[in-house]
Every structure is written in structure tokens, then in C-alpha cells.
């Protein structure tokens, strides 16, 4: 009797969140899959077209550009941001005044994508931007960062690295805090050098954290949109046109809901595949304690 | 703790030769110099934005740039505030965020308690369902969500950005469940013997115990929802309904070349959330650190 009433309470307590999950995640997800198999443009009745949208996407030059831009951005963003965050976390881990430094590194994380994009539009400005004015001191004629097809993706990557560095750094710091001091003490008894200690203790024991950061970085970098939307509106040309930009553009500018849904499904599948690859590969390098 | 480490450091240093001590000290100083330069680079854009928002247009575009404004033009702020309903946008952003986060804290912690401490058939499967939704990029469900909002008649109303977020946060459920699992079972045992039902136990026993975690989650969620861009962008079309990021984007479109005004507007948009950060720094950082260590 006691157990049965506790059961009832279990369902009751999860009910609000479960309703939210079904109404605003589960149904929309199924809806998105369904929509991707139709030609619906928001008016009239949708017609079932099978996988035609998916075939058309891979023949669509705009989709190809979006895919290339997103992959290029991820390639620049993911390794650099993980490496720098780890470096800063290591530097901060045992240093005095940690909280002051941590405060500075984390400040961009709390700021909205729109605000940081406006600030960086100005930093990147060819004439009055601080970067080019700084480069001019060395006689370098800086590029027109976000108005150049060559530089626009690296520019967005630099901004994103700056923006999210503190986030990954904090997670690395938490990981470093979790490493027991006894390992280092034992290594010191054996006379291990700092470099040896880093490669035999810190790096392996930090691997679950690194794995988490890597997974999250892939997921977020595949979804890059806000910065490109605010700073360049996907331009110049299609220079910063990303996958999510393509999803947005197809749905809310071209009103091609079916095509847009198919692009969103492809994005989802890409993220899934990359995450699964990471999970499969993690067996080689992620070490869990105990 | 800290006193102990410095004590240990001193003993260590004494045993080392003097040249080693000097090298360690030199290394530390170098490390601090690098950290000071790096953290200055992190805050420089904000600092420069705030300083520039006081400059005249002529000064802002002058080459070479000046750091400190030669005179402080407060009108940039009053002009920005007059050009755009920033006050209205603040109000919208704050009331939406507070409503969403308040509801999220209650519904997510309720579900988290059930998942952590109560047993009921299908618990593991349902929890897995919550976890798997964290993998779904928000953009995938954006179009269906738009159509659902249209169907409900909620497009271009704040309900569209409040309701879906307020009662669904899989990440919050996950995070709080991890915490509640750490509470020993015998803490609630006494209440169970007294015949209290799980709702009472949740309210009187669990909630007070998870307060620190709940605070961390709440502030973290606040910043996320305050900065939310793509949902309001798609769901809201009347400027009087705009949230701060949306209004700033609109403002940017209208005053693209007036950098002094633009920087004043950006400063106006950034300052409140930076203030929240200054006061709640510890909770925010701990909340985020937990996502990694318990993930």
C-alpha cells in the first residue's frame, strides 16, 4: 500500500516536466521528421514526397556551402578552444589570485551572443577596428575581417573561442580539482619531473573531462548561427552561411518548411554520428578512475 | 587549508637549493605576467566598449584610437534609450526570465526528486528519454515548435517563449537528480515513518537540502534564458514584445554606422547581466563546473 502510493507520487512529481518534454520536444521532433518527408510550404495541405528533400539537399549548392562553412568553423573552433581552455585551467589551477583571473575569463560567457557580436563587429572593422589599428603599428595592412570571404569564418571562430573559453576552462578546473593529490605525492617520491607528471597523471585522469568538453564542443559548434546572423547575415555572399543558417533561411525566409526540416534532420544526424564516433573512439583514450 | 599549503611551500622551499627557489619564483612571476595579459585580453572588449560609449562620433573613428574619452558624452546613453524602447525590453527580458526560471526550478527539482528517490515502473526508461532529448539540437524542433505556437495562437505573444521553456528543461532535471541522489536515504526516513507523503517530503526535506544546487541552477538558467536569441527571433515580431538581445539586434540594423550610439546601446544591453554575474559569480561557476564533473 505504502509503495503503491509512492508510485503514484512518482508520476505526479514528474508530470509537469514530462508534459513539457512530450509537447515541446518529443512531438516537435517526430513532427520534424514527418515534415522532412513532405513538400509543405506553410499553405495548403502537405504532400508526401518521401526522401526527395534529402536528395535535393545534397544537390543544393547552398546546402553544400553551409556544410563546408560549418565543418571549416568546427575544425578551427573545436581543437583551439579545447587546447586554450586546458592551458588556462592548468595555469590557474595552483596559482594565487585564481578567482580574479577566473572572473575575467568567464565574463564573456554570461554575455549574450548578440551583444558580443556587435562588440566584435566593431573590433573587426577594417578602418576603425582595434585589430587593424594595432596591426598598422607594424606596417601590416589588416584584412577586412568579416567582409572578406576568406576571413569571415576564422573571424567568427576567434570570437567564439574568446566567448566560450571561460566555460570550458571552468569545467577543466573542476576536473583538475577532482584529481587526488596522492598521485602527485607518489610521483614526487619517485622523482618524476613536472612534464612527466603531466603526461602520466594529469592528462589521463583528466580524460573524462576532456571527453565531455570535446562532445559539448562538437554539439555547440555544429549549431553556430547567432554570430553569423548578427554580424554578417550569412555573408559576404554565402561566406558565413552555416547549417543552422540554412535551416532558418529555408523555413523563415523561403517558407520551404519541408526542405528546412530535412536540413534540420541532417544536422541532427551529423551531430549524432560525430558524438557516436567520439564515444567509440573514447575507449582508447578516456580513463575512468577505479 | 590555505595556511597549511603555504606552510608546506615554505618547508619545501627551504629544502631546495637557492637557485631552484629562484627559478620557481621566476617561473611563477612569468606565469602571472602571462595570466595578467591573457585576462586583460578577455575583458578588453568590454572595457573598450564602455569607454567608447562615452566618446563623440568623431573621436570614435579617429586614427589612432584614444583609450580614455577626451570628454564624456552622456547623451549617447540618453539618445540610445530614446531611440529604442530599451526600458521595455529590459522589463520583458526580466519578467520572462524570472517566470521561466522560477517555474523551471520547481518543476525540474520535483522531477529530479522523483527520479532520484522514488521508485515507479518505467522510471529508468523515462529518465533515459529525458537524457536523450539533451542530444537534440534546438534548431531541429524550431519549425515544428513555430507551427505548434501558431496553432495555439501564441505566436507574437510572450507565451511562446515562456511556456515551452518553463516546463521543460531536461538538463535541469539531470543536474538536480545528481544532487538529490547524493542525499542519504535516512534523511527522509524519519519523515516517511511520520507518514508524510512524497510531496511534503519534497517540500520540507529535499528542497531545503538542495537549495545551493538549486540556486546555482537558477542563476545559470537565468543567464541562458535572458540571452536566448533564436526563439524570440522566430516567435516574436512586434518590437514592443522584444527582449534585450532582440532589440539590440534591431537597433544595430538601424544605426549600423553610428558606432558611438551602437556602443552605448550594447553597453546598456550588457551591463545588467554582467551585474548579475558580479554578484552571483560563485553560483554560476559552480553550477557550470558541476555539469562537467558529474556529466
Amino acid at each position: 500500500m505504502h509503495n503503491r502510493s509512492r508510485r503514484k507520487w512518482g508520476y505526479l512529481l514528474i508530470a509537469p516536466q514530462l508534459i513539457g518534454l512530450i509537447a515541446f520536444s518529443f512531438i516537435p521532433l517526430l513532427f520534424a521528421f514527418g515534415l522532412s518527408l513532405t513538400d509543405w510550404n506553410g499553405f495548403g495541405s502537405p504532400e508526401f514526397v518521401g526522401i526527395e528533400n534529402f536528395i535535393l539537399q545534397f544537390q543544393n549548392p547552398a546546402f553544400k556551402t553551409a556544410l563546408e562553412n560549418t565543418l571549416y568553423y568546427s575544425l578551427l573552433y573545436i581543437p583551439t578552444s579545447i587546447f586554450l581552455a586546458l592551458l588556462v585551467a592548468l595555469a590557474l589551477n595552483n596559482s594565487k589570485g585564481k578567482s580574479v583571473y577566473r572572473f575575467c575569463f568567464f565574463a564573456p560567457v554570461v554575455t549574450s551572443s548578440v551583444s558580443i557580436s556587435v562588440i566584435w563587429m566593431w573590433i573587426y572593422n577594417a578602418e576603425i577596428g582595434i585589430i587593424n589599428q594595432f596591426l598598422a603599428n607594424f606596417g601590416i595592412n589588416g584584412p577586412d575581417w568579416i567582409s572578406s570571404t576568406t576571413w569571415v569564418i576564422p573571424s567568427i571562430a576567434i570570437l567564439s573561442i574568446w566567448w566560450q573559453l571561460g566555460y570550458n576552462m571552468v569545467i577543466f578546473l573542476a576536473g583538475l580539482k577532482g584529481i587526488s593529490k596522492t598521485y602527485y605525492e607518489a610521483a614526487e617520491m619517485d622523482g618524476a619531473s613536472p612534464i612527466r607528471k603531466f603526461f602520466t597523471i594529469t592528462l589521463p585522469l583528466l580524460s573524462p573531462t576532456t571527453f565531455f568538453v570535446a562532445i559539448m564542443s562538437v554539439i555547440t559548434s555544429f549549431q553556430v548561427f547567432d554570430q553569423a546572423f548578427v554580424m554578417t547575415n550569412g555573408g559576404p555572399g554565402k561566406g558565413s552561411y552555416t547549417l543552422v543558417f540554412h535551416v532558418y533561411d529555408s523555413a523563415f525566409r523561403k517558407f520551404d518548411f519541408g526542405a528546412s526540416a530535412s536540413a534540420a534532420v541532417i544536422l541532427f544526424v551529423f551531430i549524432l554520428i560525430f558524438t557516436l564516433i567520439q564515444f567509440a573512439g573514447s575507449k582508447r583514450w578516456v580513463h575512468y578512475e577505479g | 587549508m590555505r595556511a597549511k599549503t603555504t606552510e608546506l611551500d615554505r618547508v619545501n622551499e627551504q629544502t631546495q637549493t637557492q637557485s631552484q627557489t629562484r627559478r620557481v619564483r621566476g617561473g611563477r612571476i612569468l606565469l602571472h605576467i602571462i595570466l595578467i595579459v591573457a585576462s586583460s585580453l578577455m575583458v578588453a572588449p568590454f572595457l573598450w566598449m564602455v569607454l567608447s560609449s562615452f566618446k563623440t562620433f568623431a573621436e570614435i573613428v579617429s586614427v589612432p584610437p584614444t583609450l580614455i574619452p577626451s570628454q564624456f558624452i552622456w547623451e549617447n546613453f540618453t539618445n540610445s534609450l530614446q531611440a529604442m524602447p530599451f526600458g521595455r525590453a529590459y522589463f520583458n527580458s526580466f519578467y520572462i526570465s524570472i517566470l521561466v526560471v522560477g517555474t523551471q526550478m520547481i518543476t525540474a527539482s520535483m522531477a529530479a526528486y522523483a527520479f532520484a528517490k522514488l521508485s515507479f515502473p518505467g522510471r529508468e526508461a523515462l529518465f533515459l528519454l529525458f537524457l536523450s532529448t539533451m542530444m537534440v539540437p534546438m534548431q531541429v524542433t524550431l519549425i515544428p515548435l513555430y507551427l505548434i505556437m501558431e496553432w495555439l495562437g501564441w505566436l507574437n505573444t510572450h507565451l511562446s517563449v515562456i511556456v515551452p521553456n518553463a516546463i521543460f528543461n531536461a538538463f535541469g532535471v539531470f543536474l538536480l537528480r545528481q544532487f538529490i541522489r547524493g542525499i542519504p536515504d535516512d534523511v527522509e526516513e524519519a519523515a516517511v515513518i511520520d507518514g508524510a507523503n512524497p510531496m511534503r517530503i519534497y517540500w520540507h526535506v529535499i528542497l531545503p537540502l538542495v537549495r545551493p544546487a538549486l540556486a546555482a541552477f537558477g542563476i545559470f538558467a537565468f543567464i541562458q534564458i535572458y540571452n536566448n536569441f533564436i526563439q524570440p527571433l522566430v516567435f516574436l515580431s512586434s518590437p514592443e514584445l522584444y527582449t534585450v538581445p532582440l532589440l539590440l539586434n534591431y537597433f544595430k540594423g538601424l544605426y549600423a554606422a553610428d558606432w558611438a550610439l551602437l556602443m552605448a546601446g550594447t553597453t546598456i544591453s550588457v551591463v545588467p547581466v554582467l551585474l548579475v554575474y558580479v554578484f552571483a559569480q560563485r553560483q554560476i561557476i559552480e553550477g557550470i563546473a558541476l555539469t562537467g564533473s558529474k556529466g
Side-chain angles (χ1 to χ4, degrees):
Chain A
M1 158 63 227
H2 181 71
N3 259 343
R4 191 176 302 155
S5 81
R6 270 174 84 89
R7 257 180 219 174
K8 182 191 77 190
W9 279 106
Y11 294 123
L12 223 59
L13 286 166
I14 65 166
Q17 283 281 324
L18 192 64
I19 292 167
L21 180 143
I22 293 167
F24 303 118
S25 180
F26 194 66
I27 290 175
L29 187 63
L30 289 180
F31 197 172
F33 282 112
L35 211 53
S36 71
L37 303 173
T38 72
D39 67 348
W40 203 41
N41 61 2
F43 302 100
S45 53
E47 197 178 323
F48 182 80
V49 295
I51 59 164
E52 192 187 292
N53 284 328
F54 292 90
I55 296 165
L56 287 176
Q57 282 300 354
F58 285 99
Q59 292 167 349
N60 182 351
F63 175 79
K64 198 169 156 263
T65 309
L67 184 60
E68 281 168 2
N69 285 339
T70 308
L71 287 175
Y72 181 35
Y73 168 83
S74 301
L75 205 67
L76 293 175
Y77 171 79
I78 298 166
T80 320
S81 71
I82 296 176
F83 177 72
L84 285 178
L86 178 60
L87 214 62
V88 175
L90 287 169
L92 283 194
N93 193 29
N94 289 315
S95 83
K96 286 193 184 106
K98 181 160 90 181
S99 56
V100 178
Y101 293 127
R102 204 177 56 178
F103 179 87
C104 297
F105 279 99
F106 200 78
V109 180
V110 303
T111 317
S112 84
S113 57
V114 180
S115 306
I116 58 121
S117 298
V118 176
I119 300 171
W120 279 79
M121 271 173 80
W122 180 54
I123 291 175
Y124 281 138
N125 188 286
E127 283 87 38
I128 62 159
I130 197 79
I131 297 180
N132 280 4
Q133 296 216 15
F134 178 76
L135 290 176
N137 291 333
F138 304 97
I140 301 168
N141 204 351
D144 195 349
W145 297 92
I146 53 173
S147 308
S148 135
T149 38
T150 326
W151 284 100
V152 65
I153 292 283
S155 299
I156 296 174
I158 292 169
L159 173 163
S160 305
I161 291 163
W162 170 82
W163 185 31
Q164 292 300 314
L165 182 63
Y167 186 91
N168 290 338
M169 173 205 76
V170 164
I171 290 174
F172 272 127
L173 275 174
L176 286 169
K177 216 168 122 186
I179 300 176
S180 162
K181 290 269 178 292
T182 53
Y183 293 110
Y184 293 104
E185 281 158 14
E188 259 155 45
M189 301 266 266
D190 295 341
S193 68
I195 292 168
R196 208 184 140 77
K197 276 190 283 186
F198 173 74
F199 282 104
T200 56
I201 302 171
T202 313
L203 215 50
L205 291 179
L206 206 57
S207 57
T209 310
T210 314
F211 180 54
F212 175 82
V213 170
I215 295 263
M216 296 308 290
S217 300
V218 169
I219 293 176
T220 54
S221 78
F222 269 63
Q223 298 178 48
V224 60
F225 168 77
D226 295 10
Q227 303 93 305
F229 182 83
V230 175
M231 293 204 303
T232 55
N233 200 10
K238 279 203 166 11
S240 59
Y241 189 82
T242 63
L243 279 180
V244 175
F245 213 109
H246 184 60
V247 171
Y248 175 84
D249 201 50
S250 312
F252 301 106
R253 286 183 186 162
K254 301 197 174 87
F255 297 100
D256 201 344
F257 287 121
S260 174
S262 73
V265 169
I266 295 170
L267 172 73
F268 176 51
V269 172
F270 276 143
I271 291 178
L272 201 66
I273 290 172
F274 272 86
T275 310
L276 290 176
I277 291 174
Q278 278 175 296
F279 264 100
S282 72
K283 291 194 184 78
R284 290 160 175 268
W285 64 275
V286 177
H287 304 272
Y288 291 97
E289 245 178 299
Chain B
M1 175 69 193
R2 183 168 293 163
K4 217 186 211 164
T5 25
T6 43
E7 183 73 20
L8 208 71
D9 281 351
R10 223 180 49 218
V11 175
N12 277 343
E13 275 173 23
Q14 276 169 352
T15 54
Q16 285 170 335
T17 63
Q18 276 200 326
S19 73
Q20 256 177 329
T21 315
R22 214 169 289 147
R23 211 165 56 205
V24 170
R25 205 167 281 159
R28 272 199 197 139
I29 291 169
L30 186 70
L31 183 72
H32 278 285
I33 291 172
I34 295 170
L35 280 173
I36 289 166
V37 172
S39 45
S40 311
L41 282 175
M42 296 304 288
V43 291
F46 294 120
L47 210 65
W48 206 40
M49 166 195 74
V50 172
L51 288 171
S52 299
S53 59
F54 289 104
K55 291 176 188 169
T56 61
F57 181 74
E59 193 177 2
I60 227 172
V61 297
S62 70
V63 179
T66 53
L67 182 63
I68 308 291
S70 51
Q71 57 185 121
F72 283 79
I73 313 288
W74 286 92
E75 280 84 56
N76 289 337
F77 289 96
T78 48
N79 288 345
S80 301
L81 288 170
Q82 270 160 13
M84 282 284 139
F86 272 109
R88 186 67 179 264
Y90 271 146
F91 175 77
N92 291 342
S93 276
F94 269 92
Y95 106 85
I96 290 171
S97 307
I98 288 167
L99 259 178
V100 168
V101 173
T103 320
Q104 267 188 9
M105 280 163 80
I106 294 170
T107 58
S109 61
M110 265 163 46
Y113 166 57
F115 279 128
K117 293 287 183 192
L118 304 176
S119 59
F120 48 90
R123 184 180 78 164
E124 298 308 310
L126 285 171
F127 186 66
L128 216 64
L129 190 69
F130 270 86
L131 282 190
S132 56
T133 60
M134 282 161 66
M135 282 278 304
V136 182
M138 195 261 226
Q139 293 84 8
V140 178
T141 54
L142 190 67
I143 302 155
L145 218 47
Y146 174 85
L147 297 170
I148 291 171
M149 292 304 146
E150 193 178 35
W151 179 70
L152 289 168
W154 290 357
L155 274 191
N156 205 27
T157 74
H158 283 154
L159 285 173
S160 64
V161 284
I162 294 173
V163 180
N165 294 311
I167 61 166
F168 176 56
N169 187 334
F171 169 73
V173 173
F174 171 69
L175 186 74
L176 294 169
R177 173 185 169 267
Q178 297 300 97
F179 264 102
I180 297 171
R181 259 177 18 144
I183 299 172
D185 283 341
D186 39 328
V187 171
E188 45 169 331
E189 212 98 292
V192 173
I193 290 163
D194 288 344
N197 66 39
M199 191 69 201
R200 283 183 69 94
I201 297 172
Y202 158 74
W203 193 256
H204 291 291
V205 181
I206 300 294
L207 219 47
L209 287 172
V210 291
R211 206 180 288 154
L214 208 55
F217 164 65
I219 294 158
F220 183 45
F222 176 85
I223 286 179
Q224 245 180 352
I225 203 82
Y226 183 89
N227 290 336
N228 191 3
F229 180 57
I230 197 168
Q231 273 187 347
L233 175 73
V234 169
F235 297 159
L236 306 176
S237 45
S238 313
E240 70 269 16
L241 295 177
Y242 279 9
T243 56
V244 173
L246 215 52
L247 189 74
L248 181 66
N249 182 52
Y250 188 58
F251 186 69
K252 182 220 84 192
L254 293 180
Y255 300 93
D258 194 343
W259 288 104
L261 208 60
L262 210 49
M263 283 305 118
T266 313
T267 304
I268 291 169
S269 85
V270 166
V271 164
V273 75
L274 278 184
L275 280 179
V276 170
Y277 172 51
V278 169
F279 289 111
Q281 202 211 146
R282 239 195 57 216
Q283 274 85 357
I284 298 170
I285 287 177
E286 276 171 10
I288 284 170
L290 279 165
T291 65
S293 60
K294 301 226 172 181

